[in-house]
Amino acid sequence: MIEAAATAQQAAGLGLAPVAARRALADEVYAALTASIMDHAIAPDTRLNIEEIARELGVSPTPVREALARLESDGLVAKEPLRGYRTTPVLTAAELDQMYEFRSLVEPWGAAEAARRRTAADVEELTAELATAPASSAGAGYADYAALAAHDHRFHVLLLRIAGNDVVREAFERTRFHLHQFRYAFAASMAPASVAEHRAIAEAVVAGDPEAARSAMTAHLRAARDRIVRSQTSDSRDTR
């Protein structure tokens, strides 16, 4: 009797939803919302209506909820008790300064440690990551600089992983710096300089030169912050 029931169940299937298709749909919704938030098409500090989003995207509310949960972990939306989700505010100038103060404390040390500890496998992985860096960005929309933002995140996390301190690496990853800084400001002219600075850091790490790696990372962080500030200044002039 039991065997017959089991056979019948196998024939009928377990009734499970096609996970791959659902996951792909949730990924598409996540990508669409991320782009809209990063481009400020959905303004900072905006309340998000799940039903409205689902209707506009032509999907059910389920993948929207899944996407919003992921965006909450990214720090791009926040869930308010009994009120749903809102997009988070963009970093203030003071918060940007604090972010770079933290990075300046952690990442030059990480680059120096990576230079001391790198293995042949690490060098290979670092070289492969540099090969993914886009040579330029065509414009200032998220679709144009998404590849650079992804490379930027992977590169900096990789160096901290090579440095060998998981506590530091995990703390860095939780800040989602790459998303917040690119959401704060981006200009197409940033890409070539940023990639060149990454290469200088990587060369020092590969060469096993801790002080050169520390110096290159310090210079990169200072230059990155200056580029953001200049971009913001330029944008404010353009909108006058």
Side-chain angles (χ1 to χ4, degrees):
M1 190 76 162
I2 294 175
E3 290 180 0
T7 301
Q9 185 181 46
Q10 288 171 1
L14 296 176
L16 297 176
V19 174
R22 177 175 170 180
R23 182 75 266 156
L25 184 58
D27 289 344
E28 289 179 14
V29 173
Y30 170 78
L33 288 174
T34 299
S36 293
I37 294 170
M38 294 293 286
D39 285 337
H40 297 205
I42 300 176
D45 200 26
T46 296
R47 187 175 179 184
L48 300 172
N49 184 297
I50 291 175
E51 298 292 338
E52 181 182 356
I53 293 170
R55 186 167 55 252
E56 288 194 18
L57 293 177
V59 299
S60 73
T62 299
V64 176
R65 291 190 184 94
E66 293 176 3
L68 288 172
R70 290 173 63 184
L71 289 165
E72 183 179 20
S73 70
D74 290 340
L76 293 179
V77 304
K79 190 173 185 179
E80 301 176 325
L82 305 178
R83 300 186 66 183
Y85 290 94
R86 297 185 74 88
T87 52
T88 54
V90 174
L91 293 173
T92 64
E95 288 169 337
L96 182 72
D97 285 342
Q98 290 170 9
M99 179 180 82
Y100 273 95
E101 284 175 5
F102 176 82
R103 296 188 70 175
S104 295
L105 289 170
V106 170
E107 294 197 78
W109 165 86
E113 281 300 300
R116 291 189 183 95
R117 298 169 62 96
R118 87 280 185 270
T119 65
D122 293 330
V123 169
E124 185 176 341
E125 189 173 358
L126 195 55
T127 301
E129 179 53 48
L130 286 174
T132 72
S136 63
S137 294
Y142 183 65
D144 299 303
Y145 66 78
L148 176 63
H151 159 70
D152 184 76
H153 172 66
R154 291 192 304 266
F155 177 79
H156 286 274
V157 170
L158 175 57
L159 286 176
L160 290 175
R161 184 182 65 71
I162 296 171
N165 189 316
D166 289 338
V167 173
V168 172
R169 177 184 54 77
E170 289 169 6
F172 178 86
E173 289 193 87
R174 282 195 297 271
T175 62
R176 306 297 189 194
F177 283 149
H178 66 295
L179 286 173
H180 294 304
Q181 73 180 33
F182 281 96
R183 186 185 180 203
Y184 187 88
F186 176 79
S189 59
M190 293 179 179
S194 182
V195 173
E197 290 156 15
H198 284 184
R199 294 189 184 284
I201 297 165
E203 287 172 3
V205 170
V206 170
D209 189 334
E211 289 312 309
R214 185 191 304 275
S215 178
M217 179 62 81
T218 299
H220 169 53
L221 295 175
R222 186 180 300 119
R225 183 192 174 282
D226 288 348
R227 282 192 291 270
I228 290 173
V229 171
R230 285 197 302 272
S231 176
Q232 284 292 90
T233 302
S234 175
D235 287 346
S236 64
R237 289 172 180 168
D238 291 343
T239 55
R240 286 177 186 173

